[in-house]
């Protein structure tokens, strides 16, 4: 998991424990009532959509955590392009264990595959440019780790994970501080006093703010809701002195034109919050 520093075994196990506590409670009584304890069966993960599959590795961890005796045979890997009718994997072992894990596995994989598919589509739309698609913090509480994992599986990039791993001075920070200059000065003092080495990004709303952010010597400049002409002018003004990020209502229809202006990054909350769940099902093999 070196590519995903925000994913640790401790965090995975905490999520899985809490998810099972939420779903199973004092027992999966539907399964316990009618499926014999010693029943052994096999089920397959059926793909009922077209796109990018994600969450297979997570599914393996969920199954192994709940019942290490379950055997998984995979036919697809995270990031593979799949189509309706494909089989992603088979799981064999305790019928009770398979049934109790089913919904948690599907909920995670359907969400992650939908995000991976959306992220992949956005990256395809900017192919041939030097622009990368970034996610945002517009995520589902307590599920961010998996949503950002899915973004990477889909081929896009992760922005900061939370409020702690990068400084992003947005419009409200600037307005509450008085100006970009004051906000950046105070931030640099704060970081020095607390021995923190974090990149600083500043959101700008017009070209005057872009100039001010440049003079403040930050690491990234966000160009929020700029028109295409304004983006081109801002990119020319910045002249690669710092990294540029376009944001604000990015859609599949607009992303290509924005990338062509020459920005380094385009951040899109939609690749997570507007992704449609992927259609998957876990079916018993008769």
């Amino acid at each position: 998991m070196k590519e995903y520093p925000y994913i640790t075994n401790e965090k995975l196990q905490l999520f899985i424990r809490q998810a099972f506590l939420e779903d199973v409670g004092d027992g999966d009584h539907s399964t316990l009532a009618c499926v014999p304890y010693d029943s052994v069966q096999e089920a397959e993960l059926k793909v009922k959509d077209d796109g990018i599959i994600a969450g297979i590795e997570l599914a393996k961890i969920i199954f192994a955590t709940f019942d290490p005796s379950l055997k998984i045979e995979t036919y697809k890997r995270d990031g593979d392009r799949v189509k309706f009718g494909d089989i992603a994997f088979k799981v064999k072992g305790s019928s009770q264990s398979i049934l109790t894990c089913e919904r948690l596995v599907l909920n995670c994989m359907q969400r992650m595959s939908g995000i991976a598919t959306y992220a992949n589509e956005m990256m395809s739309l900017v192919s041939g440019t030097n622009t990368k698609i970034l996610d945002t913090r517009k995520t589902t509480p307590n599920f961010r780790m998996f949503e950002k994992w899915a973004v990477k599986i889909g081929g896009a990039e992760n922005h900061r994970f939370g409020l702690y791993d990068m400084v992003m001075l947005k419009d409200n920070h600037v307005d509450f501080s008085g100006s970009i200059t004051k906000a950046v000065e105070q931030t640099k003092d704060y970081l020095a006093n607390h021995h923190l080495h974090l990149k600083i990004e500043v959101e700008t709303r017009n070209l005057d703010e872009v100039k001010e952010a440049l003079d403040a010597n930050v690491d990234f400049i966000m160009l929020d809701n700029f028109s295409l002409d304004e983006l081109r002018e801002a990119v020319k003004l910045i002249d690669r002195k710092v990294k540029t990020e376009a944001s604000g209502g990015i859609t599949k229809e607009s992303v290509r034109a924005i990338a062509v202006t020459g920005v380094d990054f385009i951040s899109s909350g939609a690749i997570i919050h507007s992704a449609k769940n992927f259609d998957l099902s876990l079916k018993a093999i008769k």
Side-chain angles (χ1 to χ4, degrees), residues 15-16 19-20 22-23 43-49 52-63 72 78 86-91 97-115 143 146-147 150 275-284:
F15 167 79
I16 293 169
F20 276 127
E22 175 185 61
D23 197 35
E44 57 189 10
L45 195 287
K46 290 188 173 183
V47 176
K48 301 168 70 177
D49 229 328
I52 304 298
I53 195 78
I56 292 174
E57 289 304 310
L58 176 59
K60 289 161 65 176
I61 295 169
I62 291 170
F63 282 126
I72 315 296
D78 285 337
D86 285 345
I87 304 299
F89 62 75
K90 292 181 181 179
V91 54
S97 295
I98 292 171
L99 286 166
T100 302
C101 291
E102 175 185 2
R103 181 45 53 194
L104 177 56
V105 166
L106 287 174
N107 284 350
C108 292
M109 288 195 64
Q110 288 178 312
R111 181 78 183 126
M112 290 179 69
S113 297
I115 292 168
F143 202 69
F146 305 106
E147 291 174 334
K276 180 179 74 72
N277 268 16
F278 208 71
D279 197 356
L280 300 166
S281 64
L282 189 67
K283 293 297 183 183

Side-chain angles (χ1 to χ4, degrees), residues 23-286:
D23 197 35
V24 179
D26 67 351
D28 174 7
H29 299 303
S30 302
T31 296
L32 294 171
C34 66
V35 178
Y37 173 79
D38 57 356
S39 171
V40 173
Q41 295 291 341
E42 191 173 9
E44 57 189 10
L45 195 287
K46 290 188 173 183
V47 176
K48 301 168 70 177
D49 229 328
D50 297 336
I52 304 298
I53 195 78
I56 292 174
E57 289 304 310
L58 176 59
K60 289 161 65 176
I61 295 169
I62 291 170
F63 282 126
T65 298
F66 188 81
D67 184 349
S69 71
L70 291 173
K71 305 297 182 186
I72 315 296
E73 185 177 1
T74 57
Y75 304 103
K76 300 293 181 182
R77 295 184 300 177
D78 285 337
D80 281 353
R81 182 165 293 280
V82 294
K83 63 183 184 302
F84 187 102
D86 285 345
I87 304 299
F89 62 75
K90 292 181 181 179
V91 54
K92 184 176 182 179
S94 164
S95 302
Q96 289 190 352
S97 295
I98 292 171
L99 286 166
T100 302
C101 291
E102 175 185 2
R103 181 45 53 194
L104 177 56
V105 166
L106 287 174
N107 284 350
C108 292
M109 288 195 64
Q110 288 178 312
R111 181 78 183 126
M112 290 179 69
S113 297
I115 292 168
T117 298
Y118 199 129
N120 187 262
E121 290 173 359
M122 291 288 273
M123 282 301 300
S124 296
L125 289 169
V126 301
S127 64
T129 73
N130 293 318
T131 303
K132 296 183 183 300
I133 303 296
L134 296 175
D135 58 22
T136 72
R137 285 173 49 248
K138 296 176 182 177
T139 57
T140 307
N142 296 323
F143 202 69
R144 179 177 297 175
M145 174 169 63
F146 305 106
E147 291 174 334
K148 283 184 171 282
W149 188 359
V151 166
K152 288 283 286 183
I153 290 171
E157 298 294 329
N158 296 146
H159 212 331
R160 60 177 178 161
F161 186 79
L163 295 170
Y164 59 86
D165 57 347
M166 180 179 178
V167 171
M168 186 180 291
L169 303 175
K170 303 200 76 176
D171 52 356
N172 283 338
H173 295 96
V174 170
D175 290 342
F176 286 169
S177 298
S179 70
I180 287 175
T181 302
K182 288 181 181 179
V184 174
E185 286 177 352
Q186 291 169 351
T187 297
K188 289 182 177 180
D189 287 343
Y190 172 88
L191 294 177
N193 291 334
H194 289 81
H195 308 291
L196 295 171
H197 303 283
L198 301 177
K199 299 290 186 182
I200 300 174
E201 179 167 1
V202 171
E203 177 180 353
T204 60
R205 294 164 284 194
N206 53 60
L207 290 171
D208 287 337
E209 289 192 343
V210 170
K211 295 174 184 175
E212 188 177 359
L214 268 177
D215 290 339
N217 192 27
V218 297
D219 300 291
F220 297 85
I221 294 178
M222 180 190 293
L223 309 166
D224 190 53
N225 285 302
F226 278 42
S227 68
L228 292 176
D229 286 340
E230 289 171 331
L231 284 173
R232 282 188 283 267
E233 193 169 348
V235 168
K236 184 178 179 180
L237 177 65
I238 294 167
D239 194 27
R240 301 202 174 279
K241 295 182 181 72
V242 301
K243 296 292 185 181
T244 54
E245 173 190 336
S247 71
I250 309 298
T251 66
K252 293 179 183 178
E253 291 71 32
S254 66
V255 69
R256 177 76 189 184
I258 293 170
V260 171
T261 66
V263 292
D264 296 299
F265 301 102
I266 296 174
S267 57
S268 168
I271 62 175
I272 291 178
H273 67 62
S274 294
K276 180 179 74 72
N277 268 16
F278 208 71
D279 197 356
L280 300 166
S281 64
L282 189 67
K283 293 297 183 183
I285 299 175
K286 298 180 180 179

